[in-house]
Amino acid sequence: MERSTGVDVAAGGTAARWLVGAAGVSALGDGIRFAALPLLATVLLRDGFQVAVVTAATTLPWLLFGLPAGAYADRVDRRRLMVRADLLRAGTLVAAIGLLAAGWLTLWPLVAVAFLLGVGEVLFDCAAFAFLPSVVRPERLETVNSRLFAVQTLCRDLLGHVLGGVLFAVHRLVPFAVDAVSFLLSAALLANIRGPAAAPAAPATDGHAGARLWRDIRDGVAYVAGDPLLRVLTVTAGLINAVYLGQIAVFVILVREVLGLPSAAYGLLVSAGALGGVLGGAVAAGVARSAGRVPALLGSLALIGAAGLGVAATASTAVVAVAWAAGGAGIMVWNVVAVSLRQSIIPDRLRGRATGVYRLVAWGMMPFGALAFGWVSDTAGPRGAFAAGGVVLLALCPLVAPALRRDGRAG
């Protein structure tokens, strides 16, 4: 039984605004936490490996639970699942604040906190990407996704990261209290959404629960793997993420050794990429409407590749900043158009599972990118790493173009 997807224009517009608002508030808290948690781990643990363990615990849930969470999101009311994920994260942060105040937030409690926050993120994201098409007409997906991605990038990657460091300097408890409040506000905004997405798909009643879950996961994987367009979008997203994380991993080396800048300049240059992402989110819908989805996807992919070559070709700080911002804009346009395309072609009953598969591949390739480009940087310097990434993505364009162009659903 499919969820109803008929959307009243007024109700859908209101629901989309609540959803974007909730995402922005939550992203601000996430940005604060992303900056503050490593600082807290460094202060409490004073051991590089243990700090890395805490960081890894935040992303590990995507590898462990990405597929099951997607299957679960296809069985329940997705709006309620997002609310519960927000409440889980808020409760986790409140517990962390209590442990920190009592002096009990040692390595393993800190790992548990990071892990539970990651679990909440997995549940929320799988539900959110599947939920959005239920309250937005297909022709407005790019517009709403543009707004959503731009707001998230602005709040998380620009405002949140800056505030995280500032608030931590005020008191180590403050950023985590603010993050907890952000999740509560997000849950309150989502609770205001009413309408067509409230009726969940009926879960299967035959067979053991574990067997049904495995069957649901298998169906989601088979659907994505068996669809040529989804397969291309998923693999390409994984390669983009691998290149991006690989380049960001060596970016600080380029800033210090090639540009000869102090470490403080690294944050400013990284912010240029986030600013480019905000601008890309602002124009993505217009680019898709005027040029078409396929040219927008290929153009953004080429822009990301060219940006890597631009960074590699210069020792000018200004040129590096512009190139890095252009790459951020290209990534954002790709994300908006690719996500909107996936949402428009995947059946509602499979959207959660497809999101889990997509994220598992897209995020799962990131550590390999960091390792590969770290090796390239060691052997050919950071410029070589950026050049290699640019070449990989530019070479990818003619490989994915035929698959995109021959599939009429890409538009």
Side-chain angles (χ1 to χ4, degrees):
M1 173 177 160
E2 294 271 352
R3 289 175 181 80
S4 169
T5 55
V7 181
D8 174 75
V9 175
T14 301
R17 285 193 292 272
W18 286 121
L19 183 59
V20 172
V25 170
S26 181
L28 179 63
D30 276 338
I32 292 171
R33 175 171 51 85
F34 290 158
L37 186 60
L39 292 172
L40 179 65
T42 300
V43 170
L44 295 179
L45 304 176
R46 302 183 183 278
D47 182 285
F49 178 74
Q50 291 182 351
V51 172
V53 170
V54 173
T55 302
T58 305
T59 57
L60 183 61
W62 271 112
L63 295 176
L64 297 180
F65 303 124
L67 296 179
Y72 188 61
D74 285 335
R75 290 185 174 191
V76 301
D77 185 319
R78 291 163 179 160
R79 180 189 62 83
R80 291 181 181 176
L81 180 57
M82 287 187 285
V83 171
R84 290 167 183 166
D86 274 337
L87 294 178
L88 168 65
R89 291 186 283 185
T92 299
L93 286 164
V94 170
I97 291 169
L99 291 172
L100 181 58
W104 296 339
L105 197 60
T106 53
L107 173 61
W108 293 114
L110 195 56
V111 168
V113 166
F115 185 79
L116 287 174
L117 292 173
V119 171
E121 180 185 18
V122 172
L123 292 171
F124 186 95
D125 283 3
C126 284
F129 282 99
F131 174 71
L132 180 63
S134 300
V135 294
V136 175
R137 290 191 181 280
E139 64 271 15
R140 295 195 67 244
L141 278 174
E142 273 93 358
T143 299
V144 176
N145 275 319
S146 290
R147 195 174 304 151
L148 179 66
F149 277 96
V151 166
Q152 285 180 318
T153 302
L154 175 65
C155 292
R156 181 185 60 238
D157 298 338
L158 288 177
L159 300 178
H161 285 178
V162 173
L163 283 174
V166 172
L167 294 176
F168 189 84
V170 173
H171 194 284
R172 63 180 65 174
L173 289 174
V174 174
F176 304 100
V178 172
D179 195 21
V181 171
S182 77
F183 287 128
L184 293 175
L185 288 175
S186 173
L189 290 170
L190 291 169
N192 285 302
I193 298 177
R194 296 290 183 269
T205 57
D206 57 313
H208 186 269
R212 293 200 305 270
L213 179 64
W214 171 248
R215 184 182 61 207
D216 287 348
I217 293 172
R218 182 190 61 201
D219 290 346
V221 172
Y223 183 83
V224 173
D227 187 301
L229 180 57
L230 291 176
R231 192 166 61 240
V232 166
L233 291 175
T234 301
V235 172
T236 303
L239 290 173
I240 290 173
N241 282 352
V243 169
Y244 173 75
L245 190 66
Q247 291 178 337
I248 197 69
V250 303
F251 196 30
V252 66
I253 302 174
L254 182 134
V255 169
R256 298 191 62 180
E257 296 183 2
V258 176
L259 301 183
L261 298 175
S263 298
Y266 169 73
L268 294 175
L269 286 173
V270 169
S271 296
L275 180 59
V278 173
L279 296 175
V283 303
V287 170
R289 282 195 301 269
S290 60
R293 282 175 168 170
V294 172
L297 289 170
L298 294 176
S300 60
L301 183 59
L303 178 60
I304 304 166
L309 293 180
V311 171
T314 183
S316 166
T317 302
V319 175
V320 167
V322 170
W324 191 244
I331 290 173
M332 186 60 70
V333 172
W334 169 275
N335 283 338
V336 168
V337 179
V339 166
S340 300
L341 178 55
R342 288 192 299 113
Q343 289 171 330
S344 67
I345 66 176
I346 298 171
D348 182 75
R349 63 184 178 83
L350 287 165
R351 284 197 187 113
R353 281 167 280 180
T355 298
V357 174
Y358 186 85
R359 283 296 188 94
L360 180 66
V361 174
W363 287 41
M365 293 181 70
M366 293 172 77
F368 297 102
L371 293 174
F373 285 90
W375 176 80
V376 173
S377 179
D378 284 344
T379 57
R383 281 181 170 179
F386 275 89
V391 169
V392 167
L393 295 183
L394 288 174
L396 192 59
C397 289
L399 298 178
V400 304
L404 294 176
R405 286 174 176 153
R406 67 172 168 255
D407 196 309
R409 295 171 299 171

